[in-house]
Amino acid sequence: MSDKRRKRSKRKSDTWNINRILNDDRVLKVLGLIFMFFGIYLTIALISYLFTWQGDQDKVLHYSWGLLFNGDVTVQNWLGRLGAILSNGFIYWGFGIPSILFVFLLIKFGFVLIKRESLKTYLKTFTQVLLLTCFLSIVLEFIMHASPFSWGGAMGNAAYTWMSSFIGKVGLLLLFIMICLLTFTWVINPTMEFSAENMRHMIDSSTANQVSYFKSLSLFQNKSKTTNPRKKKQTFDSSEESFTEVEQVKGPFPKTIDDDGSLTQESLEFKLPESTSTRNKPKVEMDTTLEIEEPVQETVAPEAMPLEEVKVTGADFSDKVLPIQQENKDDLDPYDPTQDLSRYEHPTLQLLEDYADQKVHIDREELEANKDQIINTLLNYNIKITKIRATIGPTVTLYEIVPAPGVKISKIKNLEDDIALSLAALGIRIIAPIPGKGTIGIEVPNKKKNTVSLKEVLLSDKFQNGKMDLPIALGKTIANEVFVADLAKMPHLLIAGATGQGKSVGINTILMSLLYKKHPSQVKLVLIDPKKVELFPYANLEKHFLGFLPDADEPIITDTTKVIHTLNSLTIEMDERYDLLKKARARNIKEYNDKFTKRKLNPQNGHRFLPFIVLVIDEFADLIMTAGKEVELPIARIAQLARAVGIHMIIATQRPTTNIITGMIKANFPARISFKVTSQVDSRTILDAKGAEQLIGRGDMLLTVGSDILRLQCAFVDTPEVERVIDFIGDQQGFPLPYHLPEFKGEGDLSNDGSNLKWSDLDGMFEDAARLVVVNQHGSTSMIQRKLSLGYNRAGRIMDQMEQVGIVGPSNGSKPREVYFMTETELLTHIEMLKNA
């Protein structure tokens, strides 16, 4: 038995060393450089063969590989005897002149190793180049068969000889023509309509497709069609270890290995014998299975990160009319909203810190000690278990236990404090039972915690290739898996937590996710910061991502009055968007924008591309204390209705009490995040369940969506990192004008008698707009915008001015305003009075 164990231990050690070597970036980079330099060496040898083959061929054929060790023989090849043998093997015995294409494959493979790209894409390129080499070899041999030089090589000559005797030379020529036509048809995909116009179009398309085809064979190809990470599975047996009470059962337990070879996640299963005693501990034997996950995106250089390309619009430039004509709109290309900022570049991941040097290795002794303490504590209360499994996360280890038949779950739940006492740890949380698993979970904080960097999360496959409208990378789960959510489906997010527990970092993580994934024209951020110090760095994004009122002094809203106006302005924006969706017969913003980009909606009728709007409120409790219902009511209305039109909210507070987070707000915020809070009452207020008071802080959080509660470690991003990303975006060209929300005037801001408004203060199009409203007896901002070809903001200002001078009544929600003048004559008299005032 001892010999078998030593053999298993040796095999495990060998496999472990191989895995550590293959996961070392330096090894792959060295191998890649070797292949690239060998390709360059072979290129020189093949070129030299074209000039020296007559003098070297008889020597190479006579001595073969013995030429390498025969110092008396001299060759003319530029790279000596080795170059002569290699070039003769590739050209004379291989595929002739087309053999030089193998150089491309060698150099390409070197780049694949260095950049750790997908081998599946390389194998496709390898197959295409190999088929092209064979075809060219036979064609050259067919054309130059009488030449003494081996144009097609031995392979081409053999294939040509057999095929010419089988189908004849004429048949071989027809075969070549057919292959060329089939390849041309496959690559170009011609229309087969041979009119003069179609022929010109086909020639243009041929040129573009040929460029695209050869780019697909390019050395710098960096596109993988697989979105799932590659997985390698290897098994090994661990060395002999013994425990004193628990006998371990053999079975597959997944582990993941970092690039440096250190364990970051591990699952162990233990099975207790039926006659388990509290005093005698049997030995433990270990047998595990290793599963290595290698996401391609995690090893891609930051400069080459394949961020999703999105097609979005710029600021609200409704004055610009798109060239759409009803009679030929089907012939036009889809509208490309990104042209407003066509040169925008997404921020690179080099701006973020890695924190890889702060990773902590797994302490097996700590793992086993905690396991023994849990088992002993349960046995002290006569609670027997049949299996225990440990899953290690960045900050918390989840121990899953299977109780013996007849054991009540409530007995284990009541031992929460006793287990915490035996482990001498804070933040013990018991999940009884774990949904969908049939086990009981005991979450124990790790003594040494890992930092989850935002860079690591953004490099994950889930974030890179996820198809989400508003992806937010929150962090990692207990199982060390990256967690990415879609804010558009939440559709609003409520964040709570005590001071210093990670709320501000969580908000920065969410905002950074949007900045890295989305184009400035697809999403607009409305930032409200009553504390005035948390969100101020984002002010540099004024002409890129931010939205605010036209008369705002600062892009970040801090004044309570301006906050009320901004929230009511968003309700106006929401109503206007619903009017546009109604006209377009669309159910949501996605359908509406899809119709707009396909030119099915005419901007002359008031239609425009609608970006997503994300409202972020930090320290919501302060607003409730100072404004109360004036803030709560518009927020509740936005939460109830704004999802379909692309307006979403993120609200954060450090006081999750019932007078701050009211029932009206909670009912419309199904997605909630709770960092560590001070009491169980606060936990129940935010999550409708206890547990948040037992978190360990520093980004440890609970996320609930509906009835499910998930424990996460929030990704960490420091303030200098945020500032670097914002400066990178802010230094680029922005929109000529910021994205302005609709104007809103509160009570006391307007004077309906017009005593404080002079004719010179009115808009230049005021009189034309007033005539239009009175003639149609319809006080609508969208009608002024449509009929006079004005932007929405300008049309809204004119409508407010007409209200001030007493031509129309106040806003009535989505209904048109009341018009106070019945005839144009009455209007002209009133206007003359304004001019003479």
Side-chain angles (χ1 to χ4, degrees):
M1 289 295 292
S2 61
D3 293 338
K4 292 182 179 179
R5 290 179 180 176
R6 280 194 293 269
K7 290 180 180 180
R8 288 198 301 267
S9 178
K10 186 176 183 302
R11 288 196 301 268
K12 183 207 77 167
S13 179
D14 294 341
T15 306
W16 173 255
N17 292 333
I18 293 174
N19 287 328
R20 292 196 65 177
I21 293 174
L22 293 179
N23 282 279
D24 194 338
D25 282 341
R26 296 172 296 179
V27 174
L28 296 179
K29 290 177 181 178
V30 169
L31 291 176
L33 290 175
I34 291 174
F35 274 98
M36 292 173 63
F37 277 102
F38 179 68
I40 297 174
Y41 183 90
L42 184 60
T43 302
I44 299 174
L46 295 178
I47 294 175
S48 175
Y49 182 87
L50 301 178
F51 303 97
T52 62
W53 68 276
Q54 290 179 333
D56 294 342
Q57 189 172 32
D58 58 335
K59 301 173 184 178
V60 175
L61 294 177
H62 181 269
Y63 291 101
S64 185
W65 287 98
L67 180 64
L68 286 176
F69 310 102
N70 193 339
D72 298 333
V73 180
T74 58
V75 295
Q76 301 178 18
N77 193 283
W78 300 341
L79 296 180
R81 295 193 297 270
L82 179 60
I85 292 176
L86 289 177
S87 59
N88 185 77
F90 274 92
I91 295 181
Y92 183 80
W93 293 110
F95 295 93
I97 295 298
S99 297
I100 200 169
L101 294 176
F102 286 106
V103 173
F104 163 78
L105 293 177
L106 288 172
I107 299 178
K108 170 65 177 176
F109 188 66
F111 271 94
V112 169
L113 291 178
I114 292 175
K115 295 188 175 183
R116 302 189 72 171
E117 297 177 359
S118 172
L119 287 177
K120 186 173 181 180
T121 304
Y122 175 77
L123 291 177
K124 178 181 178 181
T125 304
F126 179 85
T127 304
Q128 293 173 342
V129 173
L130 183 61
L131 292 175
L132 180 63
T133 302
C134 296
F135 176 74
L136 294 178
S137 176
I138 300 173
V139 171
L140 288 176
E141 195 64 29
F142 174 78
I143 298 174
M144 309 295 295
H145 184 64
S147 173
F149 183 76
S150 183
W151 290 91
M155 298 294 183
N157 182 64
Y160 163 75
T161 302
W162 181 83
M163 295 176 70
S164 61
S165 63
F166 184 73
I167 59 176
K169 293 184 178 181
V170 177
L172 188 58
L173 178 61
L174 293 176
L175 178 64
F176 291 155
I177 296 174
M178 183 185 70
I179 292 176
C180 292
L181 288 176
L182 292 178
T183 305
F184 177 82
T185 303
W186 180 263
V187 175
I188 305 303
N189 191 18
T191 60
M192 297 301 180
E193 298 178 4
F194 299 102
S195 64
E197 182 178 357
N198 287 333
M199 287 297 292
R200 287 193 300 269
H201 177 73
M202 185 172 64
I203 292 173
D204 296 338
S205 176
S206 170
T207 304
N209 280 279
Q210 284 180 1
V211 172
S212 174
Y213 173 71
F214 285 110
K215 280 185 177 180
S216 68
L217 300 179
S218 172
L219 181 64
F220 303 100
Q221 178 181 3
N222 191 24
K223 180 179 179 182
S224 174
K225 290 186 178 180
T226 58
T227 58
N228 294 327
R230 297 169 291 164
K231 294 185 178 180
K232 303 177 183 178
K233 293 187 178 180
Q234 300 177 355
T235 61
F236 67 88
D237 299 326
S238 60
S239 58
E240 181 179 358
E241 297 184 25
S242 62
F243 307 101
T244 56
E245 186 162 299
V246 182
E247 180 179 358
Q248 187 174 346
V249 181
K250 297 180 181 180
F253 318 115
K255 295 182 180 180
T256 60
I257 302 294
D258 275 351
D259 293 338
D260 58 357
S262 61
L263 283 168
T264 58
Q265 179 185 353
E266 162 177 70
S267 297
L268 301 175
E269 291 190 1
F270 305 91
K271 189 174 181 180
L272 296 172
E274 295 181 0
S275 59
T276 302
S277 173
T278 60
R279 298 182 180 179
N280 300 323
K281 296 185 179 180
K283 293 183 179 179
V284 176
E285 296 180 2
M286 190 178 299
D287 183 19
T288 59
T289 300
L290 174 67
E291 179 178 324
I292 303 176
E293 293 189 1
E294 299 178 1
V296 177
Q297 286 74 10
E298 293 186 1
T299 58
V300 175
E303 298 84 0
M305 183 183 69
L307 282 172
E308 177 188 359
E309 292 185 2
V310 293
K311 293 191 175 182
V312 290
T313 187
D316 184 13
F317 305 130
S318 303
D319 297 59
K320 179 173 62 178
V321 179
L322 299 181
I324 299 180
Q325 297 181 4
Q326 192 69 23
E327 62 273 16
N328 63 350
K329 65 178 181 180
D330 295 334
D331 298 334
L332 298 176
D333 294 331
Y335 171 60
D336 184 6
T338 58
Q339 293 303 314
D340 291 334
L341 275 186
S342 58
R343 296 184 180 180
Y344 174 78
E345 295 181 2
H346 291 275
T348 63
L349 289 179
Q350 287 182 337
L351 302 172
L352 301 177
E353 298 292 339
D354 194 3
Y355 302 106
D357 54 341
Q358 301 182 15
K359 285 191 175 180
V360 180
H361 300 296
I362 290 177
D363 188 354
R364 293 292 296 270
E365 295 181 358
E366 176 189 349
L367 183 69
E368 300 300 335
N370 289 341
K371 179 254 309 178
D372 292 338
Q373 289 289 348
I374 292 174
I375 294 174
N376 291 335
T377 303
L378 295 176
L379 289 176
N380 289 336
Y381 293 90
N382 296 323
I383 298 176
K384 298 180 180 180
I385 61 176
T386 60
K387 187 185 297 183
I388 182 170
R389 174 189 178 94
T391 302
I392 300 177
T395 57
V396 176
T397 299
L398 174 65
Y399 294 88
E400 299 179 50
I401 62 176
V402 179
V407 176
K408 293 184 178 180
I409 295 179
S410 58
K411 293 181 64 177
I412 300 178
K413 293 181 67 175
N414 294 333
L415 296 178
E416 188 171 310
D417 295 335
D418 298 280
I419 296 175
L421 178 63
S422 64
L423 296 176
L426 298 175
I428 300 294
R429 198 170 74 100
I430 294 181
I431 309 172
I434 297 178
K437 287 190 175 183
T439 59
I440 297 175
I442 302 176
E443 295 176 349
V444 181
N446 300 331
K447 292 182 179 178
K448 298 179 180 179
K449 302 171 181 61
N450 284 319
T451 300
V452 178
S453 66
L454 180 61
K455 181 177 182 179
E456 179 184 2
V457 176
L458 296 184
L459 274 173
S460 65
D461 179 75
K462 289 184 179 179
F463 185 81
Q464 294 292 320
N465 299 323
K467 303 299 181 183
M468 300 180 182
D469 293 325
L470 294 174
I472 52 176
L474 294 177
K476 285 189 174 183
T477 64
I478 292 180
N480 247 346
E481 297 176 354
V482 173
F483 186 85
V484 181
D486 189 359
L487 181 61
K489 293 182 179 179
M490 283 185 170
H492 311 291
L493 182 61
L494 186 62
I495 303 176
T499 302
Q501 303 304 319
K503 293 192 308 302
S504 297
V505 174
I507 292 176
N508 284 329
T509 298
I510 293 173
L511 294 178
M512 287 291 105
S513 301
L514 297 176
L515 296 183
Y516 265 94
K517 192 69 172 179
K518 293 301 177 182
H519 189 277
S521 298
Q522 187 182 14
V523 60
K524 297 299 176 183
L525 305 175
V526 179
L527 305 182
I528 298 176
D529 183 16
K531 291 194 293 186
K532 304 180 182 181
V533 295
E534 293 292 344
L535 302 177
F536 75 90
Y538 295 93
N540 290 340
L541 304 180
E542 175 182 356
K543 293 189 177 181
H544 294 84
F545 282 97
L546 298 187
F548 47 89
L549 293 173
D551 58 347
D553 298 329
E554 298 176 347
I556 308 298
I557 301 100
T558 58
D559 181 67
T560 304
T561 304
K562 291 293 184 182
V563 171
I564 298 173
H565 290 184
T566 300
L567 294 176
N568 285 280
S569 175
L570 285 174
T571 61
I572 297 174
E573 174 74 12
M574 179 183 68
D575 293 334
E576 292 292 339
R577 290 190 172 201
Y578 269 114
D579 290 339
L580 294 176
L581 263 63
K582 178 182 178 182
K583 294 178 183 178
R585 298 180 181 272
R587 294 175 57 88
N588 51 55
I589 186 175
K590 194 171 184 180
E591 294 181 8
Y592 178 87
N593 285 338
D594 183 63
K595 288 185 177 182
F596 187 84
T597 54
K598 292 180 179 178
R599 299 184 182 271
K600 295 180 179 180
L601 303 176
N602 196 331
Q604 295 181 355
N605 295 329
H607 292 290
R608 53 193 170 97
F609 192 93
L610 302 179
F612 284 95
I613 296 178
V614 178
L615 170 64
V616 180
I617 303 178
D618 191 18
E619 201 44 65
F620 179 64
D622 183 72
L623 294 179
I624 291 294
M625 293 176 61
T626 56
K629 292 294 183 180
E630 292 183 277
V631 170
E632 183 181 353
L633 292 179
I635 286 180
R637 188 161 182 262
I638 293 173
Q640 291 171 352
L641 301 175
R643 173 182 181 177
V645 292
I647 301 177
H648 306 276
M649 287 190 295
I650 300 174
I651 295 179
T653 179
Q654 64 178 349
R655 294 179 54 196
T657 55
T658 53
N659 62 330
I660 302 299
I661 303 176
T662 62
M664 183 182 298
I665 293 178
K666 285 180 61 176
N668 295 288
F669 282 78
R672 306 169 201 162
I673 289 177
S674 178
F675 293 89
K676 181 177 176 61
V677 294
T678 56
S679 66
Q680 188 179 121
V681 176
D682 291 344
S683 176
R684 292 188 181 277
T685 301
I686 181 68
L687 298 177
D688 292 329
K690 66 176 184 178
E693 77 282 359
Q694 297 171 328
L695 300 176
I696 60 177
R698 298 180 62 85
D700 191 18
M701 65 183 187
L702 294 177
L703 169 66
T704 175
V705 181
S707 60
D708 298 331
I709 298 180
L710 181 65
R711 190 166 186 172
L712 302 172
Q713 176 61 39
C714 182
F716 177 71
V717 55
D718 205 357
T719 302
E721 301 175 63
V722 175
E723 292 176 348
R724 287 197 295 267
V725 174
I726 292 174
D727 291 340
F728 180 87
I729 298 175
D731 291 340
Q732 301 184 49
Q733 179 182 0
F735 296 111
L737 295 174
Y739 185 89
H740 285 155
L741 300 175
E743 284 188 327
F744 173 81
K745 297 293 184 181
E747 295 181 1
D749 293 337
L750 296 177
S751 178
N752 289 332
D753 59 358
S755 60
N756 63 343
L757 193 63
K758 299 179 180 179
W759 179 259
S760 59
D761 297 330
L762 300 178
D763 190 277
M765 298 291 293
F766 175 84
E767 185 172 352
D768 295 335
R771 290 173 181 267
L772 181 65
V773 168
V774 172
V775 169
N776 291 276
Q777 289 294 301
H778 184 82
S780 170
T781 303
S782 59
M783 183 188 70
I784 297 176
Q785 177 189 8
R786 184 174 63 255
K787 296 292 186 179
L788 300 180
S789 299
L790 301 177
Y792 178 82
N793 292 331
R794 187 179 179 185
R797 286 192 295 270
I798 294 176
M799 183 59 69
D800 291 337
Q801 291 171 0
M802 282 193 284
E803 181 184 356
Q804 293 182 55
V805 298
I807 297 177
V808 296
S811 175
N812 191 20
S814 60
K815 297 180 181 180
R817 297 171 183 253
E818 180 182 0
V819 181
Y820 293 149
F821 294 91
M822 301 301 296
T823 63
E824 189 175 357
T825 304
E826 296 176 359
L827 174 65
L828 293 177
T829 303
H830 186 71
I831 290 177
E832 288 297 325
M833 292 174 60
L834 290 175
K835 291 180 179 179
N836 297 328

